[in-house]
Amino acid sequence: MKFNLEKKDIDSALLSLSAVADKKQTLPVLSNILIKAQENGLNMLSTDLEIELEMDVENVVVEEPGEITIPAKKASDIVKELPDGNISFSLEEGEKFKIKTPTGEYNLVTMEASSFPEFSSTEIDNAHEINSEELVELFQMTSFAMGNQDWRHYLNGTYIECAMGTLKMVATDAHRLAMCKKEFNTEAEFSGIIPRKTCMELMRILPRENEKIKFSIDQNRIVFSSPNFIFKSKLIDANFPNYNQVIPSGDFIEIKVNREELLDIVSRVSVLSNDKFKGVKLKSEGNLLKIFSSNNDQESAEEELQLEVANEGFEIAFNVNYLREMLNTIEDKSISIQSFGNEKSALMKTTNDKRVLVLMPVRL
């Protein structure tokens, strides 16, 4: 086996494949990438048995076809650190895989391609189509609210749902909730929970230009396909909670502030917040919003911010990390916060009426 290509044509693919490969090394070969050099191009695969990524690499010159598996992280790290330019890859005698540049070479241990698990069929049945920009936006607008290693495993992912011509994604970790929806031209109805790792890796590899992405979903798995990759993932086997019950309704008090100024202030004030709860309090007084924090050492911080829309009686406290993360997903110059009571969830309103952002309060 021997092939060569420019660094820019393979480094991002190796990074994505390395991220998918199994780091727990349940089976040693799962920490490897399967490389197939063929006369018509280069194909690479990785899996952790929960998700599978297959990528085609362009602009490659294959001098000798062949296939082998190489350590995913080591190969990715080496190529990432190499200078821009042409890189030669070859399988040498003694089963060492050589990565060579004009100034150096690296020799990696390999495992036989035959030991790599066989991938299931890549046929996309009943495929739907969506623009990559829209799919990326759906993930970016919601995935920050996913759970992370929560014992309630159904929270460790993003819920996808299609009904009545609307495609929705919803994520929650029980402290905040994010929902985003798009019009979707289909009569099909489907739903499932996409695992956290799948969401994170898809956001990495999905093209930012307006490219068509095909996907299909059944009760057990979801498959995404583009001209350059096929990404298959198992779905989380659980029922997603009724997210509509979390979205507050009824009477509320609303304020409107400059988003960036609020973000800067809560970041400064939070330095003296309680280490455990990381809480900051927001309270309206006249045309001002006052932001407070304090800790067990009897230290405190207070700043004020001019309100664009003022209403007396607004008072609520949030975890500053959740508040900042939510504010960072918004591009609007100004945002509105609707409080339904200091012990009830609040709504953060933006100019995007396709988004719903819910933030649960904390007690200080």
Side-chain angles (χ1 to χ4, degrees), residues 196-245:
R196 179 185 178 88
K197 183 177 178 181
T198 300
C199 298
M200 303 306 289
E201 296 314 316
L202 273 170
M203 284 192 289
R204 189 201 302 267
I205 67 173
L206 282 169
R208 277 7 185 207
E209 62 272 11
N210 207 10
E211 185 177 300
K212 291 291 186 182
I213 302 295
K214 291 183 178 181
F215 74 94
S216 67
I217 181 172
D218 58 26
Q219 288 186 330
N220 301 310
R221 74 171 190 169
I222 190 165
V223 181
F224 295 90
S225 173
S226 85
N228 295 321
F229 73 81
I230 297 174
F231 195 113
K232 292 177 280 187
S233 172
K234 291 182 180 179
L235 297 172
I236 295 175
D237 184 16
N239 293 319
F240 198 73
N242 185 348
Y243 57 87
N244 288 310
Q245 292 182 344

Side-chain angles (χ1 to χ4, degrees), residues 9 111 215 346:
D9 293 320
M111 296 182 70
F215 74 94

Side-chain angles (χ1 to χ4, degrees), residues 22-203:
D22 187 15
K23 298 174 181 62
K24 299 176 183 177
Q25 292 190 344
T26 311
L27 295 171
V29 75
L30 295 182
S31 63
N32 281 16
I33 295 170
L34 173 62
I35 295 180
K36 297 180 179 180
Q38 301 159 332
E39 291 183 359
N40 60 347
L42 183 67
N43 177 264
M44 300 193 293
L45 308 92
S46 67
T47 182
D48 64 358
L49 299 183
E50 295 292 325
I51 59 179
E52 303 171 354
L53 176 60
E54 178 179 354
M55 303 191 79
D56 292 321
V57 178
E58 298 177 338
N59 303 319
V60 58
V61 177
V62 177
E63 298 181 27
E64 296 178 18
E67 56 183 46
I68 198 67
T69 77
I70 62 172
K73 187 175 188 313
K74 291 176 182 177
S76 176
D77 288 350
I78 289 169
V79 171
K80 181 177 68 174
E81 297 298 332
L82 291 175
D84 293 339
N86 191 268
I87 307 173
S88 173
F89 300 84
S90 59
L91 183 61
E92 302 294 320
E93 293 183 8
E95 299 183 349
K96 289 290 180 66
F97 188 79
K98 181 180 288 186
I99 302 174
K100 189 174 182 180
T101 70
T103 58
E105 64 179 51
Y106 302 81
N107 295 286
L108 296 175
V109 173
T110 63
M111 296 182 70
E112 289 294 330
S114 59
S115 64
F116 201 81
E118 289 188 16
F119 277 45
S120 55
S121 171
T122 57
E123 292 182 8
I124 308 280
D125 298 324
N126 302 317
H128 310 283
E129 269 194 356
I130 186 171
N131 289 334
S132 57
E133 289 180 345
E134 292 184 319
L135 186 56
V136 168
E137 183 180 34
L138 284 168
F139 278 117
Q140 289 180 336
M141 295 292 184
T142 55
S143 60
F144 71 92
M146 292 185 296
N148 189 5
Q149 297 183 332
D150 196 295
W151 63 271
R152 297 160 293 189
H153 61 288
Y154 50 82
L155 299 182
N156 298 322
T158 299
Y159 181 64
I160 184 171
E161 177 185 52
C162 184
M164 300 177 66
T166 300
L167 182 65
K168 293 181 183 178
M169 281 196 185
V170 188
T172 180
D173 60 2
H175 300 289
R176 63 262 175 95
L177 177 143
M179 181 180 76
C180 189
K181 59 185 179 180
K182 298 279 184 184
E183 292 182 2
F184 200 55
N185 187 23
T186 181
E187 296 180 358
E189 295 190 358
F190 54 80
S191 64
I193 307 173
I194 305 173
R196 179 185 178 88
K197 183 177 178 181
T198 300
C199 298
M200 303 306 289
E201 296 314 316
L202 273 170
M203 284 192 289

